[in-house]
Amino acid sequence: MFDPSKLQMLENRLVKVFKHLRKTARRQNITCYRVYDDDIPEFPFSIELYEDHIYVAEYQRQHGMEEEEHENWLDSSLGVISRVLEVPLEKIFVKQRQRKASRQEQYEKLSFESHEMTVQEAGLSFKVNLSDYLDTGLFLDHRITRGMVRDAAAGKKVLNLFCYTGSFSVYAAAGGASQVTSVDLSKTYLAWAEENMRLNGFDVAKHRFVHADVLQYLDTLPEEEFDLVVLDPPTFSNSKRMKEFLDIQRDHVSILNKVLSATKPGGVIYFSNNYRRFVLDSDRILAAEIKDITAQTMPFDFQQKLIRKCYKITR
């Protein structure tokens, strides 16, 4: 049942966290960040600010409300969000998501009216879509990791696997990479990655955009080809277009060893994934050094919610 008196809990929480996060974001010159993530059980949202717009994802759960009551609850909640975050209702976009959506499901198109905008991050431009997919096109939790890639990319051949919309590719190009190869199974996301490259003034002819099933593509890679690799796979994927079913806990050793073989000696792989119970089987990975960099890549707006693991692996 919807209890309107509980809206005060949401308001109090948002007032408290937003005051603190907005200060930090302004100090760091960050305009896209997460404000709230399922902090109160009665309000199972993720709320992200994209400059002057808000993206709200409602996690699916058994709420016991009739449809009309749920609509009233959602409208009332959005009213609170709009007021506290000082963003008009017409600039708030809402999605409903399952807690355990595979990345492939997350990427299915949801609606046909598109709200696209260009946002800034660290002096770079990215197209985001607030209306059509379960994710906007920019994973905010990798802000720091992207910066690490930019800092390391000068003169390097970079490989970005499961590249999604190519934000890591843009950062690598911005860091002076000699060539960036971006690989994804989705033509939509590869085209988006190219668009992001062009938005930032990079010559897409200098870089490679490969439409492929990554698991099969790994078997075609020459040895010792790349200096720097970004590997951010889904936890599970059983897309009809994939030849094999991907399970990152089961498959990470074989994937990483194939990637290491395509990496030059001394080259680096940034590997991350979102599986909460993930355990790295480091003894079977043929690397010179493996560092868990999860904590140092966690931005200020994700501090309370450890949502992924991240490693720096050196060949």
Side-chain angles (χ1 to χ4, degrees), residues 131-314:
S131 55
D132 294 359
Y133 303 88
L134 266 176
D135 285 297
T136 61
L138 188 63
F139 289 127
L140 302 181
D141 62 295
H142 270 307
R143 200 182 296 125
I144 293 169
T145 328
R146 287 192 275 271
M148 288 178 171
V149 167
R150 172 156 66 177
D151 292 346
K156 305 268 173 74
K157 278 188 85 171
V158 178
L159 175 63
N160 184 7
L161 297 166
F162 302 98
C163 74
Y164 187 41
T165 59
S167 53
F168 274 107
S169 301
V170 169
Y171 267 80
S178 60
Q179 187 185 55
V180 184
T181 300
S182 306
V183 187
D184 204 276
L185 186 59
S186 162
K187 286 183 178 170
T188 303
Y189 289 104
L190 274 178
W192 193 332
E194 266 192 69
E195 202 177 330
N196 277 335
M197 283 290 226
R198 282 199 193 92
L199 263 181
N200 290 281
F202 300 121
D203 179 0
V204 294
K206 259 184 68 176
H207 303 287
R208 297 178 65 226
F209 299 87
V210 180
H211 174 240
D213 173 348
V214 170
L215 297 185
Q216 291 177 267
Y217 177 76
L218 290 177
D219 294 327
T220 71
L221 287 176
E223 289 194 15
E224 300 185 5
E225 176 79 3
F226 297 97
D227 305 286
L228 182 61
V229 182
V230 177
L231 175 63
D232 183 22
T235 301
F236 298 101
S237 186
N238 55 356
S239 162
K240 296 179 192 70
R241 290 167 297 173
M242 284 179 76
K243 206 172 170 186
E244 302 156 64
F245 170 70
L246 170 69
D247 172 340
I248 198 57
Q249 182 62 65
R250 181 193 68 197
D251 301 333
H252 73 278
V253 171
S254 115
I255 291 171
L256 281 167
N257 284 336
K258 286 176 184 178
V259 173
L260 280 159
S261 151
T263 305
K264 294 174 187 169
V268 167
I269 300 165
Y270 285 100
F271 167 53
S272 74
N273 73 78
N274 285 20
Y275 182 43
R276 285 166 193 260
R277 295 194 297 279
F278 181 76
V279 179
L280 191 76
D281 190 353
S282 45
D283 292 346
R284 292 169 55 217
I285 294 163
L286 308 173
E289 185 182 30
I290 300 176
K291 274 189 189 158
D292 185 333
I293 57 169
T294 303
Q296 71 197 75
T297 59
M298 203 53 70
F300 70 94
D301 45 333
F302 287 84
Q303 291 294 323
Q304 308 310 315
K305 300 274 180 182
L306 196 65
I307 55 157
R308 56 146 174 82
K309 299 278 175 47
C310 193
Y311 304 90
K312 181 182 179 183
I313 300 173
T314 307

Side-chain angles (χ1 to χ4, degrees), residues 14-30:
L14 285 177
V15 166
K16 185 182 170 193
V17 294
F18 187 50
K19 186 181 172 189
H20 158 69
L21 290 172
R22 178 153 62 172
K23 258 188 212 155
T24 309
R26 280 181 176 159
R27 202 168 56 242
Q28 296 184 20
N29 199 21
I30 287 166

